[in-house]
Amino acid sequence: MSSTSSPAEKHEGFTAEERAAMKEHAREQKKTAARRGSSRAEKEAAAEQDVLAKIAEMPDEDRVLAERIHEIVKAAAPGLSPKLWYGMPAYARDGKVVCHFQSAEKFGSRYATLGFSDQAALDDGAMWPTAYALKKLTAADEDVIGALVKRAVG
């Protein structure tokens, strides 16, 4: 029996986008290590500036979404610290990512994503969503996201 799939469909290993994300994560770790002598406030301020710079680099549609998500998360959960996570804006508690924004451009997707890690207290029975597709945000969507973030941090 012969296969009809092309060599591209038999790809094994990481995609170029995944490799780029891993390299970006390594750069983030080096930046974090370089800040070890700084105060906690200085580290958090620098990490937030990194997040804002990353957001500013995004294509317009993703940038607008990421800016709003950043504002919503900061308002809903001021105890979360912005940081870069695999090149994406993320929000952490005690260094552990609770939620993150992934631009559509990051992996060539048709929509951006707001994702929650296992650190988020969103458990609802035996199954619940951990990521949400974003194309645009209405006031109602922003209210839902704010409530999700508040619930995620407990």
Side-chain angles (χ1 to χ4, degrees):
M1 184 166 147
S2 89
S3 172
T4 58
S5 61
S6 70
E9 292 173 331
K10 292 182 180 180
H11 174 76
E12 292 184 28
F14 297 107
T15 65
E17 293 86 359
E18 290 167 331
R19 285 191 301 276
M22 289 185 284
K23 287 179 183 178
E24 199 153 8
H25 183 64
R27 283 191 298 273
E28 293 161 10
Q29 296 298 82
K30 286 179 186 177
K31 261 188 179 180
T32 299
R35 294 178 182 150
R36 282 203 176 112
S38 304
S39 72
R40 180 180 176 143
E42 290 170 329
K43 288 178 198 173
E44 288 180 3
E48 183 164 11
Q49 287 307 309
D50 291 345
V51 167
L52 294 172
K54 181 57 70 174
I55 290 171
E57 294 171 3
M58 293 178 183
D60 288 345
E61 286 183 26
D62 289 336
R63 183 183 44 73
V64 169
L65 290 170
E67 287 171 346
R68 280 304 297 141
I69 294 296
H70 183 75
E71 292 168 7
I72 293 165
V73 171
K74 295 228 3 137
L80 292 181
S81 300
K83 66 184 270 179
L84 289 178
W85 185 61
Y86 293 95
M88 298 176 286
Y91 304 87
R93 178 178 43 215
D94 300 325
K96 296 182 179 180
V97 171
V98 174
C99 60
H100 69 278
F101 175 85
Q102 180 178 297
S103 70
E105 186 239 3
K106 181 78 173 172
F107 292 106
S109 178
R110 65 183 180 90
Y111 51 80
T113 307
L114 173 63
F116 292 89
S117 76
D118 63 341
Q119 297 298 309
L122 296 176
D123 302 38
D124 185 18
M127 185 174 91
W128 58 91
T130 60
Y132 297 84
L134 305 171
K135 295 284 284 171
K136 64 178 186 169
L137 294 175
T138 65
D141 297 330
E142 292 179 5
D143 290 344
V144 168
I145 291 168
L148 279 168
V149 171
K150 283 180 184 177
R151 186 170 153 214
V153 296

